[in-house]
């Protein structure tokens, strides 16, 4: 981008900035607050002399004290990892007194009361900023190596050696198992490389915010005892062009010098969105950063011994280039924890904290469906604060329960509690999918059913194909459709009402039905031909549009055929579930109690009252 200003504008700007800065320093009297220690703050609170008090999370406190009828500002600090309330109580302030200062949260003066001051103080800042931008652009277009910001920033990367291990990550057993191989490799790369084994370069950790992706990445490094380098995708979004890419380069240089090690790219979706997607111009910076990550990954030799972990909660929006073989071709899902997982996480976070005898973590886990690991950590912390406030020596069950409310209402909430009625609906929905799928011949084996899902809400039923298939039969499509619609069918049967929970199922069902009609000619009435021409953008590798090569009449016919396919599948699902209502209830009830069911338990639930020795087979479809 070329400069939009004439050359001398630069000089004028400089003079303007200097003069305004000078001017404003005369206008605003320096009102220096005196620094006092926290014990003095406590004394002033006890004496009732604190007019108002404001504190921020970094531990700094600003307060106004009444002295001889005058308001005098003071400043103080406290340990950042202990709550202010707790600290003050330790210094002899009563909870009532804390309540009092808590109530005097300062009313900030309206901006417009002080607009003159703000203008005078704000303008120089703004101009300075513009000026800096200007300089940077100049420097970059002029290829000025002296102002290489990327370089100097990147020097701050120092890999640390995390002390956390898999023991600190509770629940998430499947994810740990999948990552164990990476740990083994990092511990002793030679063992693998001498055998010529190809170890994945990149692993994508997928999960809802707060489910412990960052923690897990650090635990992998901790388990293997290797250095951990990390960057976050969101850091790059607002940077100047070229900086992101050079930071990536420097990061990898450092990592290579310290291998075997882990490079962790947090929030990779911030840089890894599909290129060319979205409106409003290109995001040069994002793309350059992404490209640089790809270049680095592709440039690894077999003996580089760096594993790149990346975290995202939106794998669906990632650029396909990132997911290609040799890049992030492994995916490890970190689900929100189920009941047992939550209990284990609560155990980790109450470790070393004094707990009253009445505390039952199993009950707490039961009461918190939908909570992530971060929520649970927060819960324990809130309970500790409440106990400290009440001057108790241990955290009691009462505090734990009150803390649940606080987490739900709190600003840092990452998830919401799933209510009992919601849980029932989700349980029957998932049980519906699972039971229909299990009872049809051409469907994959049910591997896991859970009601604590990956998305916003709702669970999922995971199936595993028994054999590799390259050909899909019509019968298989039909069974698959019935399985997809089993969720909604179950809701209809059990509650007589349906929910939005089936939205995604319906979308997939529609896609399958459309393919059956338009791509594979799997209907009798429409002949052996395809309908519609797909246009692909070769260089992006994506479909952008579908062109019709048929008229209105055919379009209506396609719709009619799709409709009949889907209706038939829905009827089959309804029929199966009505016939196997007992099994449906059993699976749903177990889901309500346990929240997730593995393959074996699922099988036993289906077979409980089945005739001995007779395998479950598909009922003849109508
Ligand atoms: P994410 O990166 O997925 O958003 P984090 O790793 O930042 O989540 O998790 C935030 C905090 O929540 C962690 O530091 C940890 O204290 C707690 N936490 C999350 N998941 C777990 C877990 N499975 N076991 C123990 N603590 C957890
Ligand atoms: Mg994180
Ligand atoms: Zn569903």
């Amino acid at each position: 981008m070329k400069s939009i200003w004439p050359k001398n504008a630069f000089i004028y700007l400089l003079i303007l900035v200097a003069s305004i800065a000078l001017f404003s320093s005369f206008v605003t009297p320096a009102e220096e607050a005196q620094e006092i220690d926290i014990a003095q703050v406590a004394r002033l609170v006890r004496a009732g002399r604190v007019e108002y008090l404001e504190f921020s999370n970094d531990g700094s406190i600003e307060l106004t004290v009444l002295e001889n009828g005058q308001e005098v500002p003071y400043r103080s600090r406290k340990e950042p990892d202990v709550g202010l309330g707790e600290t003050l109580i330790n210094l002899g302030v009563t909870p009532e007194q804390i309540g009092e200062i808590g109530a005097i949260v300062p009313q900030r003066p309206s901006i417009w009361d002080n607009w003159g001051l703000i203008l005078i103080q704000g303008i120089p800042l703004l101009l300075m900023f513009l000026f800096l931008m200007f300089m940077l652009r100049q420097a970059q277009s002029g290829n000025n190596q002296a102002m290489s910001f990327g370089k100097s920033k990147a020097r701050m990367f120092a890999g640390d050696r995390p002390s956390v291990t898999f023991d600190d990550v509770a629940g998430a057993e499947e994810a740990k198992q999948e990552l164990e191989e990476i740990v083994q490799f990092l511990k002793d790369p030679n063992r693998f490389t001498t055998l010529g084994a190809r170890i994945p370069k990149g692993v994508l950790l997928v999960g809802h915010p707060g489910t412990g992706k960052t923690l897990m990445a650090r635990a992998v490094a901790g388990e293997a005892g290797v250095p951990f380098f990390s960057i976050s995708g969101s850091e790059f979004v607002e940077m100047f062009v070229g900086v992101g890419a050079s930071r990536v380069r420097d990061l990898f240089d450092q990592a290579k010098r310290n291998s075997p090690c882990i490079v962790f790219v947090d929030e990779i979706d911030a840089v890894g969105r599909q290129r060319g997607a979205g409106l409003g111009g290109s995001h040069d910076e994002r793309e350059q950063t992404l490209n640089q990550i790809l270049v680095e990954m592709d440039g690894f030799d077999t003996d580089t011994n760096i594993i790149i972990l990346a975290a995202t909660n939106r794998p669906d929006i990632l650029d396909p280039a990132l997911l290609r073989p040799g890049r992030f071709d492994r995916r490890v899902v970190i689900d929100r924890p189920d009941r047992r997982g939550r209990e284990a996480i609560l155990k980790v976070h109450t470790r070393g904290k004094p707990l009253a005898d009445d505390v039952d973590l199993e009950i707490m886990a039961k009461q918190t469906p939908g909570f992530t690991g971060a929520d649970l950590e927060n819960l324990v912390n809130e309970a500790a604060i409440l106990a400290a406030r009440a001057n108790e020596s241990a955290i009691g069950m009462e505090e734990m329960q009150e803390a649940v409310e606080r987490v739900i209402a709190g600003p840092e909430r990452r998830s919401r509690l799933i209510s009992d009625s919601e849980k029932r609906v989700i349980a029957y929905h998932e049980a519906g999918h699972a039971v229909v799928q299990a009872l049809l011949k051409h469907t994959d084996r049910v591997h896991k059913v859970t009601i604590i899902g990956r998305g916003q809400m709702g669970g999922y039923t995971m199936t595993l194909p028994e054999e590799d298939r390259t050909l899909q039969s019509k019968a298989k499509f039909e069974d698959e459709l019935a399985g997809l619609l089993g969720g909604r069918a179950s809701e209809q049967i059990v509650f007589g009402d349906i929910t939005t929970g089936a939205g995604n199922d319906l979308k997939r069902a529609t896609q399958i039905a459309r393919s059956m009609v338009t791509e594979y000619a799997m209907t009798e009435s429409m002949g052996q031909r395809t309908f519609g021409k797909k246009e692909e953008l070769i260089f992006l590798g994506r479909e952008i549009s579908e062109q019709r090569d048929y008229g209105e009449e055919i379009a209506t016919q396609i719709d009619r055929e799709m409709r009949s396919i889907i209706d038939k599948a829905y009827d089959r699902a309804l029929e199966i579930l009505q016939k196997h209502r007992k099994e449906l209830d059993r699976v749903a009830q177990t889901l309500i109690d346990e929240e997730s069911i593995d393959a074996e338990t699922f099988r036993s639930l289906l077979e409980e009252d089945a005739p001995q020795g007779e395998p479950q087979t598909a009922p003849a479809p109508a």
Side-chain angles (χ1 to χ4, degrees), residues 74-88:
Y74 282 101
R75 266 188 318 176
S76 186
R77 300 197 57 73
K78 65 165 180 61
E79 301 293 319
D81 52 357
V82 188
L84 178 68
E86 221 175 317
T87 311
L88 291 180

Side-chain angles (χ1 to χ4, degrees), residues 226-248:
V226 299
F228 181 82
F229 295 87
S230 75
I231 44 169
S232 172
S234 58
E235 285 170 37
F236 297 116
V237 178
E238 309 220 319
M239 278 189 183
F240 299 109
V241 174
V243 178
S246 80
R247 283 195 77 177
V248 170

Side-chain angles (χ1 to χ4, degrees), residues 166-172 176 207-218 264 266 311 334-335 337 341 344-346 348-349 372-378 414:
F166 280 163
D167 287 340
D168 300 290
V169 191
K176 280 189 224 170
H208 204 73
T211 46
K213 297 181 293 297
T214 308
L215 182 69
M216 184 67 95
R218 294 180 62 81
F264 178 57
D266 209 350
I334 305 192
D335 278 330
I345 293 172
L346 284 170
V348 165
H349 287 286
T372 60
D375 292 326
L376 294 166
E377 182 197 14
N378 201 357
R414 302 192 207 219

Side-chain angles (χ1 to χ4, degrees), residues 88-105:
L88 291 180
I89 284 171
N90 285 339
L91 291 166
V93 178
T94 66
E96 285 77 18
Q97 285 168 327
I98 289 185
E100 271 166 44
I101 50 166
I104 317 174
V105 173

Side-chain angles (χ1 to χ4, degrees), residues 231 247-257 263 265 292-293 296-297 300 306 308:
I231 44 169
R247 283 195 77 177
V248 170
R249 208 174 309 123
D250 286 334
L251 177 72
F252 277 91
D253 283 349
Q254 292 260 359
K256 275 178 208 155
R257 260 176 269 135
V263 170
V265 187
Q292 191 61 40
I293 292 176
E296 294 289 347
M297 287 185 88
F300 281 9
I306 297 176
I308 309 170

Side-chain angles (χ1 to χ4, degrees), residues 182-194 224 226 260 305:
I182 305 273
V183 172
Q184 292 304 329
F185 169 74
L186 288 170
K187 267 187 181 160
D188 184 8
N190 289 338
R191 206 177 75 206
F192 288 77
T193 44
T194 50
V226 299
N305 298 340

